[in-house]
Amino acid sequence: GFGTNNPTNPLHIKTTATGGNGIPVLVQGRENPFRGVRYNAGVDGAILFLEHSRSNTLGTAAALNNNDQIGSLQWRAYNSSNSINSAADVEVNVDGTTGTSVPTEMILRTQNATGTQNKIVMRASGNVGIGTTTPDENLEVYQGSTSGGIRLHSTTADSYVKFENDTNSWFLSHDGNNNSGSNNSLQISEGGINTRFMVAVGGNIGIGTNNPSYPLHVVGSGNNHQLRVQRTGTGNVNLGV
C-alpha cells in the first residue's frame, strides 16, 4: 500500500493530490511502459478499468450526471515547440439520466493542423455521427461547408448499398466485374439479381435490359404496354418525338 494502511489489492495507491503532479504513477523509460497479461482458462481477457465517482471523498460512491465524463484514453506527443500536445483520444461520457444503468456516448477524436476535432460519436441511442455530435439517424455524416461524401471502392468487384426488410431487398450498385454484362454501370436491382433500372457508361438508360443501346431503352415481354403515359382529369396527353 502507498498512501494507505489498508490495501485492498496487491498494489493499492491512494492520494488526494490534484493537478498534473497528482498523477500517482509516472513511468519514464526507453521501452514500452506497461504490459498486462491475464492468465485465464476461460474466455475473458485483460480489462483496463476507468471509473468515476462524483464525490471528492476517496472511496465514496456517487452517481454521475448527464454529460459528465466517465473516462478518457489520450495519446499525446511533443510538437514542433517541444511542448506536449494532445494528438488523439477516446472519451466516454454520460448521455442521459443515470439510473440502475448508465447511458453513455463514446467520442473518438484525432487532430489536424488546427487542433483536435470530434471525428466519430456513438450516442446512447445507438446513433452514430461522423462530423457531428448530435446524429438524428442511425448513421449521420456531416461535412459542413466543405464538399465531401461517402466512397465505396473496389478493384474488380461490385460496390453496393443494400436496403432490405424481412421479405425483400433492393440494391443500389456499381457493377465492377461485369456480372450483368454492362461493366461499370449503375444499377437498381431487386434481390441483387434482377436488374430493374440501370445507367450504362456513356449515359444510356435501360429498363428491363442490361445492355441499353439508346438514351432510353425499355424492354418487356407479353402483350402489355411497355411504356405508358397517363394523366388524371381531362385533356390530352402529349408525347413529342
Side-chain angles (χ1 to χ4, degrees):
F2 290 88
T4 176
N5 295 324
N6 187 27
T8 58
N9 295 82
L11 175 61
H12 188 163
I13 301 174
K14 188 175 182 179
T15 176
T16 58
T18 60
N21 293 330
I23 298 175
V25 178
L26 174 63
V27 179
Q28 292 178 317
R30 302 180 69 177
E31 294 292 342
N32 292 323
F34 296 105
R35 179 185 178 190
V37 181
R38 182 177 185 178
Y39 295 92
N40 179 14
V43 298
D44 295 333
I47 300 174
L48 175 65
F49 291 97
L50 300 178
E51 303 175 3
H52 178 195
S53 171
R54 217 175 203 279
S55 172
N56 289 326
T57 302
L58 299 187
T60 301
L64 300 185
N65 297 332
N66 187 30
N67 296 322
D68 282 353
Q69 184 188 81
I70 299 174
S72 175
L73 292 175
Q74 297 185 6
W75 291 262
R76 302 192 296 176
Y78 287 95
N79 59 21
S80 58
S81 300
N82 294 325
S83 299
I84 198 69
N85 191 60
S86 176
D89 66 89
V90 178
E91 179 179 307
V92 177
N93 302 319
V94 179
D95 188 24
T97 302
T98 298
T100 55
S101 297
V102 181
T104 58
E105 67 175 4
M106 178 178 287
I107 303 173
L108 285 74
R109 301 186 184 94
T110 57
Q111 182 165 293
N112 58 22
T114 59
T116 304
Q117 296 181 342
N118 295 337
K119 293 303 192 306
I120 302 177
V121 176
M122 292 171 279
R123 301 298 303 271
S125 62
N127 290 352
V128 176
I130 300 177
T132 175
T133 58
T134 56
D136 294 322
E137 303 294 339
N138 292 349
L139 175 61
E140 181 176 340
V141 180
Y142 178 74
Q143 189 67 24
S145 59
T146 305
S147 299
I150 299 174
R151 181 181 183 185
L152 301 178
H153 180 87
S154 65
T155 53
T156 57
D158 294 344
S159 300
Y160 60 85
V161 178
K162 184 179 182 181
F163 307 87
E164 68 174 352
N165 57 20
D166 292 338
T167 59
N168 199 13
S169 62
W170 286 86
F171 288 70
L172 176 62
S173 62
H174 166 257
D175 185 3
N177 58 5
N178 203 25
N179 281 330
S180 65
S182 184
N183 201 27
N184 291 319
S185 61
L186 178 67
Q187 303 179 10
I188 297 176
S189 59
E190 187 176 2
I193 300 174
N194 301 308
T195 301
R196 304 305 187 189
F197 178 91
M198 71 173 305
V199 180
V201 175
N204 287 353
I205 296 173
I207 300 176
T209 176
N210 292 332
N211 189 25
S213 303
Y214 305 95
L216 177 60
H217 191 165
V218 181
V219 176
S221 60
N223 298 322
N224 296 325
H225 299 295
Q226 306 308 321
L227 180 64
R228 182 176 184 179
V229 181
Q230 182 178 354
R231 66 167 294 174
T232 59
T234 60
N236 297 325
V237 175
N238 298 320
L239 182 61
V241 179

